[in-house]
Amino acid sequence: MSTVHERSGMEVVSAAPGGGFLPEGRAAGPGTNAAGRRCPGLVGMPFPDCGADLASPHPWAAECRAAKAMLFLRAGRYWPLAVRLAEESLDDAPCRYVPLCVSRALTTLAFAGELVVADRVSLEIAEEASAASRYAVMDDVTLIRGQIARLYGDLAGAEELFATVLHSKAGPVTRLLAVGHAVESLVEGGAPGRARELLVEHDVDGAIRSRVPCRADLLAARGAVAMATGDAERALDDYLASGRELLAQRVTNPALLPWRRKAALAAKAAGRTFLAAVLARQEQAAAMRWGEPRAIGCALAAVALVDGKGREIDLLTEAAELLEVAAARVELGTVSYELGVRLVERGERAKGRRQLERARALFTRIGIEHRVEQVEHVLREAGMSPRGQTLTEQEAKIAKLAQAGMTNKQIAAHLYLALRTVEVHLSRVYRKLGISGREELRTAAL
């Protein structure tokens, strides 16, 4: 199978005969699709730059809707058209059975905000690939499913999917991409120590020095760890280097990798306010060109935090509305927190409390415990004690099984859940009930 890193557009391994997971009795030669036609870009052809004139793309791209959708995604233009082309490509037998087309289409759908469709189709294709024993295809699809889970705010699920890729026989670039995505997911979940260990374990510094195709992703992941551990200057350097890699490849869409936004926040933390403002405004312009709500909402939030000029509350309010439409739970939680803090400071305590309570509910649902504690600290400091919380149906079910004496492993098997998911739910139960562990849970009222 041809493994392609779509942000860099570099083909790492040439397609092998029969590289797709084809229906029974069908086979494809090198660089052909399931119908036996040549699939552009599959063998020895680097991904072209997007160019300025997307109205008349490269002739080879016009033959494949998945390729054309990826061109629009990389350039950050024509969001609705990119979605339509990606969906159509996955409905057609040729593209649906060519791994490269599947990767391009699913990636486009995921980063265009069509998470429900991308999730459903990725599961269908994973089942088809499994039935055909095309495990290399499954690695790529699993990687995309991890990205979808992360965009959903299911950080525990994303971590499991990335770990599946790391423990598979995936190619080196696919594995490094899984490392980069796992690192950023761990940082978002409040585990920068584990993220740093993953960087060291997989020698990410060495991979960056060797200029692997996914260097931009690895630089961004390393920058995320630096930012989370207080080294804003190092984070800024890594984000800017990541941006240079992407710009050299004509990748300008902030939905794929929001390096300007992250660099702006790092620059602000490092005291470089002018640079922060420039980067945030550039991110806003790029997000507006793309037009997808998550990208615009995140960009507006960055402008509010580094260059609000007295309009911070208005910008954060607009960002929150867009992120709610996009169902971007992690980002919405962060924006709600920042908005709540500023409303309380301005004396609008009731509005501020509502935003802080929403942030706490989102962080609780996602399982980001350190952010829950951060919100509760702000509420207490403002003289607003956190309101009591009820257990969700799943939390209550797990808590009752734990009360009955089941171990975490037994609960996971009983409910068909991942062990990590059970652990996250139990930690939420303990915090909501104000208890320290299983001993106290035995006598707690659920």
Side-chain angles (χ1 to χ4, degrees):
M1 188 192 74
S2 175
T3 301
V4 174
H5 176 45
E6 287 295 358
R7 286 186 190 143
S8 68
M10 293 180 65
E11 220 169 84
V12 182
V13 182
S14 294
F21 47 104
L22 304 175
E24 189 68 29
R26 303 183 72 174
T32 60
N33 58 28
R37 299 198 303 269
R38 184 171 181 79
C39 189
L42 271 180
V43 177
M45 182 182 291
F47 210 102
D49 63 61
C50 297
D53 184 12
L54 288 177
S56 54
H58 294 263
W60 70 263
E63 299 175 26
C64 176
R65 279 169 288 188
K68 193 171 181 181
M70 179 57 71
L71 283 172
F72 293 145
L73 175 68
R74 285 160 53 90
R77 302 284 297 278
Y78 307 116
W79 163 48
L81 178 57
V83 170
R84 180 170 64 80
L85 289 167
E87 289 179 335
E88 288 176 356
S89 72
L90 290 170
D91 287 337
D92 286 348
C95 276
R96 188 180 177 93
Y97 296 108
V98 176
L100 180 57
C101 296
V102 168
S103 175
R104 287 171 173 167
L106 288 178
T107 300
T108 299
L109 290 174
F111 289 100
E114 297 295 327
L115 297 180
V116 173
V117 177
D119 191 39
R120 173 180 58 77
V121 176
S122 67
L123 284 170
E124 292 173 359
I125 290 174
E127 291 173 0
E128 292 170 10
S130 178
S133 300
R134 301 290 184 177
Y135 298 111
V137 175
M138 290 179 64
D139 291 331
D140 289 342
V141 174
T142 301
L143 182 64
I144 295 171
R145 288 182 58 211
Q147 292 172 300
I148 293 168
R150 185 178 162 212
L151 290 169
Y152 262 132
D154 180 9
L155 300 183
E159 186 180 343
E160 289 178 21
L161 288 163
F162 295 141
T164 299
V165 176
L166 290 176
H167 291 96
S168 70
K169 295 181 179 179
V173 174
T174 301
R175 288 172 59 82
L176 282 171
L177 280 169
V179 170
H181 298 324
V183 164
E184 293 199 88
S185 186
L186 286 167
V187 169
E188 287 177 349
R194 287 173 57 200
R196 181 187 285 163
E197 290 171 4
L198 202 57
L199 291 177
V200 173
E201 179 185 348
H202 293 273
D203 189 22
V204 167
D205 288 348
I208 290 172
R209 286 193 297 272
S210 67
R211 306 193 70 83
V212 293
C214 56
R215 189 167 182 263
D217 298 78
L218 299 181
L219 283 163
R222 193 172 70 179
V225 173
M227 190 67 180
T229 53
D231 192 347
E233 284 286 357
R234 172 67 181 274
L236 177 59
D237 288 344
D238 278 342
Y239 284 132
L240 292 177
S242 175
R244 286 192 293 271
E245 292 282 321
L246 292 171
L247 291 176
Q249 300 152 13
R250 301 289 184 90
V251 179
T252 59
N253 191 345
L256 276 169
L257 202 165
W259 65 271
R260 295 180 191 83
R261 169 167 59 88
K262 296 184 178 184
L265 297 174
K268 177 75 170 180
R272 300 173 65 176
T273 54
F274 178 75
L275 176 60
V278 170
L279 288 165
R281 294 293 177 179
Q282 288 178 346
E283 181 85 344
Q284 181 185 10
M288 293 296 289
R289 280 194 299 272
W290 178 230
E292 189 268 327
R294 181 195 296 263
I296 299 173
C298 289
L300 287 174
V303 172
L305 296 178
V306 306
D307 191 36
K309 297 179 180 178
R311 297 187 59 243
E312 290 86 354
I313 289 178
D314 290 341
L315 289 168
L316 288 169
T317 299
E318 186 177 353
E321 291 170 356
L322 288 164
L323 293 171
E324 188 167 13
V325 168
R329 292 188 293 177
V330 176
E331 295 86 348
L332 179 57
T334 299
V335 169
S336 298
Y337 169 79
E338 297 290 349
L339 180 56
V341 167
R342 283 158 179 77
L343 285 168
V344 170
E345 289 174 349
R346 197 165 78 173
E348 299 183 45
R349 293 171 61 83
K351 290 183 179 178
R353 178 172 191 136
R354 282 198 294 273
Q355 293 296 329
L356 290 168
E357 292 285 0
R358 176 163 74 166
R360 188 182 67 162
L362 285 164
F363 291 142
T364 299
R365 183 178 177 187
I366 298 165
I368 310 179
E369 297 298 323
H370 74 291
R371 298 304 307 272
V372 175
E373 293 169 5
Q374 184 183 35
V375 174
E376 292 180 345
H377 174 74
V378 170
L379 287 168
R380 284 191 295 269
E381 287 292 306
M384 298 182 286
S385 298
R387 293 169 181 158
Q389 301 175 74
T390 58
L391 301 183
T392 65
E393 182 179 349
Q394 186 78 304
E395 288 167 352
K397 192 181 298 184
I398 290 172
K400 288 175 182 176
L401 293 174
Q403 274 188 333
M406 279 192 179
T407 65
N408 290 0
K409 191 172 182 180
Q410 289 170 332
I411 294 171
H414 183 75
L415 297 178
Y416 302 99
L417 296 173
L419 180 60
R420 171 66 177 159
T421 302
V422 172
E423 292 169 349
V424 168
H425 278 304
L426 276 178
S427 67
R428 293 178 193 169
V429 169
Y430 300 153
R431 186 184 52 74
K432 286 182 178 182
L433 298 180
I435 60 179
S436 59
R438 278 179 175 265
E439 286 297 322
E440 294 180 51
L441 179 62
R442 290 194 182 112
T443 57
L446 301 179

